Amino acid sequence: MVTEYSNRLWLASALTSLAVLILGLLYSFNIIPHRQYTNADFGIPDYHSALDKDADGIDDQSDILASARAYLETKPKYQSIYYAGGYPDDEHGVCTDVVAFALRDAGYDLMSLVDADIRANPALYDVETPDANIDFRRVKNLEVWFRRHAKSLTTDVRDITEWQGGDIVVFKDHIGLVSDKRNKNGVPFLLHHYSPVQASYEEDVLENYRVLGHYRIS
């Protein structure tokens, strides 16, 4: 009787541990999304830009964030290929396209802006032959452009008051936008596109990356 009770107790404990492990993995891979918090939950004021580049009545910061979400709602399929018109037009894209479409729909044409800066300052970019159709879709070029033309902010994700939805964040070989949603520690989620098997375009992964650059357009 005692042995049977012990076996049942052991089985219950093992099943509980397995369930915790599975839930942990599901959360880690964002199959089950983490609970989302907002600036208000941490007493952080929402940032609104004083500029409205495309004069649509929406400030740049809010416009960039909304445009990023609108682009990701089209559920782009991950594929890295060259487009003669620069911007992908076939429901495909990569990480840089999230940023490019977000800014374009807020009034900033990164294709033209990056191309002009590369041609005016070739020594700053590692580009042998400039090509407007692809140069703005390379992370290394965007990092240079944002460093030169946007406001540079902290790269410490624990400094939560300095992060706002619509900011641009650069990693090694990857780029995305800061979400207006946060995790329980106040660290923002990331809006990005990195893989054909990505579970969600909005993920609680900012703490998993080494941030190389954090920028705000205006």
Side-chain angles (χ1 to χ4, degrees):
M1 190 73 175
V2 174
T3 301
E4 182 181 351
Y5 175 78
S6 298
N7 288 340
R8 288 180 178 178
L9 190 61
W10 176 88
L11 180 59
S13 177
L15 289 174
T16 300
S17 298
L18 180 61
V20 170
L21 176 61
I22 291 173
L23 281 173
L25 290 173
L26 291 175
Y27 278 119
S28 295
F29 289 98
N30 287 279
I31 296 172
I32 295 179
H34 295 192
R35 178 180 171 185
Q36 299 177 353
Y37 299 82
T38 66
N39 283 351
D41 290 311
F42 299 93
I44 300 172
D46 291 334
Y47 173 79
H48 295 284
S49 171
L51 301 180
D52 178 9
K53 179 72 171 177
D54 59 359
D56 65 350
I58 305 173
D59 73 277
D60 282 352
Q61 190 80 8
S62 301
D63 212 352
I64 289 169
L65 177 61
S67 297
R69 288 194 178 283
Y71 169 70
L72 291 175
E73 284 174 2
T74 68
K75 300 186 183 305
K77 303 172 184 65
Y78 192 91
Q79 184 177 19
S80 180
I81 59 176
Y82 181 92
Y83 293 89
Y87 292 92
D89 57 1
D90 60 357
E91 300 181 350
H92 289 82
V94 292
C95 65
T96 51
D97 296 315
V98 180
V99 177
F101 276 101
L103 266 68
R104 189 188 71 169
D105 293 343
Y108 296 87
D109 181 7
L110 272 183
M111 182 169 71
S112 298
L113 292 169
V114 172
D115 182 61
D117 206 42
I118 288 175
R119 294 178 188 278
N121 305 279
L124 300 179
Y125 293 86
D126 184 22
V127 176
E128 185 173 337
T129 304
D131 183 345
N133 291 323
I134 193 62
D135 289 338
F136 79 110
R137 300 180 68 223
R138 300 193 187 282
V139 174
K140 63 185 182 67
N141 294 335
L142 290 184
E143 199 283 325
V144 175
W145 190 86
F146 282 117
R147 181 161 22 96
R148 286 172 44 76
H149 298 283
K151 182 179 180 180
S152 183
L153 302 167
T154 182
T155 58
D156 184 357
V157 298
R158 295 167 298 182
D159 190 0
I160 63 173
T161 62
E162 297 302 308
W163 296 80
Q164 290 280 343
D167 290 352
I168 292 89
V169 57
V170 181
F171 316 95
K172 179 176 172 56
D173 301 323
H174 189 46
I175 191 169
L177 285 101
V178 177
S179 168
D180 56 344
K181 308 301 181 186
R182 298 173 181 265
N183 66 21
K184 64 181 181 180
N185 299 319
V187 177
F189 284 39
L190 183 66
L191 297 167
H192 67 149
H193 192 190
Y194 72 91
S195 166
V197 294
Q198 190 170 345
S200 171
Y201 297 109
E202 183 172 34
E203 299 182 307
D204 180 15
V205 295
L206 194 53
E207 293 172 286
N208 300 343
Y209 289 97
R210 178 170 173 260
V211 178
L212 299 182
H214 171 201
Y215 303 101
R216 190 170 295 161
I217 289 296
S218 60

